[in-house]
Amino acid sequence: MDALNGVHIAAWLERAADVMEREKVLLTELDAAIGDSDHGVNMARGFTAVRVRLGGLDHGDVGALLKGVGMILLSTVGGASGPLYGTLFRDAGQRAAGAAALDLAALAGCLEAGLDGVKRRGKASPGDKTMVDALSPAVDALKAALSAPAPAGEPARSPLVDGLARAAEAAQAGALATVPLIARKGRASYLGERSAGHQDPGATSCSLLLRSLAATAGV
C-alpha cells in the first residue's frame, strides 16, 4: 500500500470503532484512577457514531471525510476528549482538503496539523501526561520514515506501511511513558503528584487509534 484513500480511511475508522468498544473497560479503569471514569464509554460512543454515519460522508475527498469525522466526534464524545479528538480530525482534514489519497508525506503533514491543533486546543505539550505524549512521537516517527530507510534485515515494506508501523510503536511507547509523569493538564492535574504511577487514558486511546491505522494498512 502506497497511499490511503477514502475506502482505507473508512476501514480504519470501522476498525477503530471495534477497538474502542473492546477496550472501553481498560480506558475506563485508567480514567478512574486519575480522571472522571468516563473516557472508555465516551470513546466507544464517539467512534460508534462515526461508524453509523460513515456512509453519509464523502469518501472521494479524504480531507472532507476527516473533517466530517471530526465534527461527529466533537458532538458525540463527552468530556475534554470530544474537543481534542474533534480537533485532531478536523485539522488533519483541513490539511488534506481536496486530496483523493494520502501518501506518507501527506499523511505525516495531516497528523502534524492535527497534533498542532490538539496542542493549541488543550494548551498541552509533550510531558504534560495527555494524548499529546502518544501523538507527538507518532508524528515524529512518520516524519523520520520519510528520510530513514527501514532497518536492515526487516521485511521490505512500502514507505507508508513502514511509517505507520513506526508511528504505532512510537505511540504505544509514548503512552507507556506517561506512567511516571505528573499530570499538568486536565482533570488529572488536580491530583498533583498522586497522578504519577498511572497511565494516561487519553494517550492510551490515541495509541489504540494509531495501532488501528497501522493494522488497516497491513502492519
Side-chain angles (χ1 to χ4, degrees):
M1 180 184 293
D2 295 318
L4 296 170
N5 59 28
V7 173
H8 300 134
I9 297 294
W12 165 37
L13 296 167
E14 293 268 7
R15 185 186 295 269
D18 289 338
V19 169
M20 295 303 174
E21 178 64 30
R22 186 174 69 241
E23 301 295 344
K24 70 179 179 182
V25 172
L26 168 65
L27 294 174
T28 296
E29 289 175 347
L30 293 176
D31 198 32
I34 58 175
D36 295 324
S37 305
D38 59 358
H39 189 62
V41 172
N42 286 344
M43 294 301 293
R45 180 176 61 241
F47 278 90
T48 295
V50 169
R51 185 211 300 275
V52 170
R53 295 164 62 179
L54 261 178
L57 299 178
D58 183 1
H59 288 45
D61 181 338
V62 173
L65 176 57
L66 293 172
K67 287 174 66 177
V69 170
M71 296 306 296
I72 295 170
L73 293 175
L74 186 62
S75 64
T76 58
V77 177
S81 298
L84 295 175
Y85 274 98
T87 296
L88 169 62
F89 278 88
R90 184 199 64 195
D91 287 14
Q94 289 175 344
R95 176 67 66 88
L102 303 175
D103 61 10
L104 175 59
L107 178 62
C110 288
L111 287 182
E112 185 171 34
L115 169 63
D116 289 343
V118 168
K119 290 164 72 174
R120 286 195 305 272
R121 187 80 183 240
K123 297 179 173 59
S125 301
D128 284 343
K129 202 181 182 91
T130 71
M131 65 184 287
V132 170
D133 289 303
L135 185 56
S136 183
V139 170
D140 288 343
L142 277 178
K143 293 166 64 177
L146 288 168
S147 57
E154 290 192 1
R157 299 185 292 202
S158 74
L160 177 66
V161 172
D162 180 60
L164 286 173
R166 298 187 194 194
E169 291 170 1
Q172 185 173 19
L176 291 172
T178 64
V179 172
L181 298 178
I182 296 173
R184 295 197 289 261
K185 298 293 178 181
R187 176 67 179 80
S189 66
Y190 300 160
L191 298 176
E193 292 186 358
R194 287 180 294 156
S195 63
H198 302 283
Q199 187 167 318
D200 182 68
T204 305
S205 62
C206 187
S207 172
L208 292 172
L209 183 63
L210 291 169
R211 285 163 58 190
S212 298
L213 179 56
T216 302
V219 175

